[in-house]
Structure formats: structure tokens, C-alpha cells
Amino acid sequence: QVQLQESGPGLVKPSETLSLTCTVSGGSISSYYWSWIRQPPGKGLEWIGYIYYSGSTNYNPSLKSRVTISVDTSKNQFSLKLSSVTAADTAVYYCARVDSLIAAAGTGYYYYYYMDVWGKGTTVTVSS
Amino acid sequence: DIQMTQSPSSLSASVGDRVTITCRASQSISSYLNWYQQKPGKAPKLLIYAASSLQSGVPSRFSGSGSGTDFTLTISSLQPEDFATYYCQQSYSTLPYSFGQGTKLEIK
């Protein structure tokens, strides 16, 4: 079955750029959306953004000015870059697959999106 | 932004109990509501999607209901492995996708 694995530095200095990669194994990156989510220590989940395998993206407005998500279909990977980090960006970062339930309605369709496969997460600490 | 509010924030219950967790959206989100379970040190696990559809492999004691602004996650008979934190998440709007603050389910 599909598995996701996050990788990247565990320590980033303030004002620098956090860079993480998610490698997809056991399936193709094509035909899905792929998402990044983070969780600060002891706190809840925050959605960062997602990318479609074709490259279209959607970001959390609160992070949009600092976030870039990209995809490399040849490597079955997608990546996260978060610039100008501060201590507030210290968190466990998860990547996840976004699947959908498609329901017919009238002359169109509804798409119910959900994150069904998650990586184990990687801890990133922002500190000098 | 659509705000998601869960209640209660924490809950103590015993094995075999029936438990209900509530999630309320700040505006109507139709049935665009998902539920996740997270155990300490682990990634979240999808339980319910589209408000009431049970994810493959998830025990049938988990069920979801609701539409519009009010949703519930019910565990019909608590098992020891169900003690965890539960999050709801709306997928109606990507501005942004938002999670509830979580409900921690503890052993009484």
C-alpha cells in the first residue's frame, strides 16, 4: 500500500528556510493532491497547503507569503519550503495524500476531500 | 476562515462506554467534514470522511453524523485502543482547510 516518508533537516536557524521532502512509495504520485500539515509541540493540527500532481497549489492564507510546495513526479516526491522561519514554526511536519469521494448531484459532482494516508512526521526545531 | 469548535476538549470514559464528540462549524459546510484519531507520538489516522463514511479498515463501532454546522463522532463501545485525541477537519473551504482544537479521550 501507499506509504509516505518525510525527510529533511531537524534543526533550522531563525530567518532561514525550512526545506522538507515527502517521498511516496507503493503507488504513483499522479492523480492525487498531496498535502503538508504541521503540529506545534502540545498543540493541534494546522494545514499548510496542498499540491496537485500537475503542479497547481493551494496554501493556508496565514502562511502563503512564506510557503512554496512543489512536486517532482519523476522522483515520486513533493516538497515544502517555508521561508523566514521563527521559533513559532517549530513543529512536527506531516505529509499526507488527499483522496476524494465523488458524489453525483444534479448535472454536476461534489468532491469530498480527505487526508487518508499520512507520513510518520518529522520534527523540525527552529533555533540558533 | 471557517472555525471548527469541538466539545468537550477532554473526556474521561470507561471501556465499554458509548462516547459522543461534537464538532461545530462557524458556517455551514454541508457534509465536508472528516474525523481523525491521533495517538501520542503518532500521525493522525482517518476515521470518517464526508461526515458519515467509514474509512476502510476502521472498526464499525466508530460512526459519524451531521450536516450543515453540527457534527458528531460516536464510539459505540469504547475499547482500550480508542483512548486518543480526536480531531474534526472541514474540507468545504481551502481558505484554509481547518481543524478543530481536538478532544482528548482518557481512561476513567
Side-chain angles (χ1 to χ4, degrees):
Chain A
Q1 73 278 22
V2 174
Q3 293 184 310
L4 308 182
Q5 178 66 60
E6 304 90 348
S7 59
L11 180 64
V12 181
K13 289 182 167 56
S15 80
E16 295 190 345
T17 297
L18 177 160
S19 296
L20 297 174
T21 296
C22 183
T23 300
V24 180
S25 59
S28 174
I29 203 167
S30 298
S31 303
Y32 286 98
Y33 288 91
W34 302 90
S35 192
W36 286 98
I37 306 96
R38 70 180 183 179
Q39 185 171 37
K43 296 188 177 181
L45 300 163
E46 179 181 32
W47 175 73
I48 299 171
Y50 66 59
I51 189 165
Y52 195 44
Y53 77 100
S54 62
S56 62
T57 56
N58 203 330
Y59 300 138
N60 187 325
S62 70
L63 298 169
K64 189 173 183 177
S65 64
R66 299 194 292 133
V67 170
T68 302
I69 300 176
S70 58
V71 64
D72 186 337
T73 54
S74 66
K75 295 182 178 178
N76 239 28
Q77 294 177 335
F78 63 105
S79 298
L80 169 70
K81 290 188 185 299
L82 182 65
S83 64
S84 305
V85 297
T86 69
D89 296 309
T90 293
V92 177
Y93 285 76
Y94 296 101
C95 58
R97 186 180 76 173
V98 183
D99 202 353
S100 61
L101 167 68
I102 304 172
T107 58
Y109 296 91
Y110 293 122
Y111 291 77
Y112 297 90
Y113 291 104
Y114 49 90
M115 292 173 279
D116 67 331
V117 181
W118 294 63
K120 293 182 178 181
T122 188
T123 299
V124 178
T125 301
V126 179
S127 176
S128 55
Chain B
D1 291 20
I2 298 176
Q3 308 300 321
M4 307 301 294
T5 304
Q6 292 180 229
S7 60
S9 295
S10 63
L11 173 60
S12 294
S14 301
V15 172
D17 283 353
R18 180 182 179 91
V19 168
T20 297
I21 298 170
T22 296
C23 179
R24 174 165 289 176
S26 60
Q27 67 180 73
S28 177
I29 57 170
S30 183
S31 297
Y32 294 88
L33 192 282
N34 307 314
W35 289 98
Y36 301 87
Q37 176 195 66
Q38 187 179 34
K39 296 182 179 179
K42 300 295 186 181
K45 173 187 174 182
L46 177 68
L47 299 176
I48 302 286
Y49 60 94
S52 60
S53 295
L54 189 68
Q55 172 67 351
S56 176
V58 173
S60 59
R61 63 181 179 272
F62 290 92
S63 64
S65 66
S67 183
T69 60
D70 294 319
F71 302 85
T72 58
L73 173 70
T74 299
I75 310 171
S76 60
S77 179
L78 269 177
Q79 298 302 302
E81 60 268 29
D82 300 337
F83 293 94
T85 298
Y86 294 84
Y87 293 93
C88 61
Q89 177 245 329
Q90 64 83 16
S91 60
Y92 178 84
S93 168
T94 57
L95 298 176
Y97 281 164
S98 45
F99 291 87
Q101 81 277 16
T103 294
K104 187 173 184 179
L105 180 52
E106 299 175 304
I107 302 173
K108 182 182 285 185

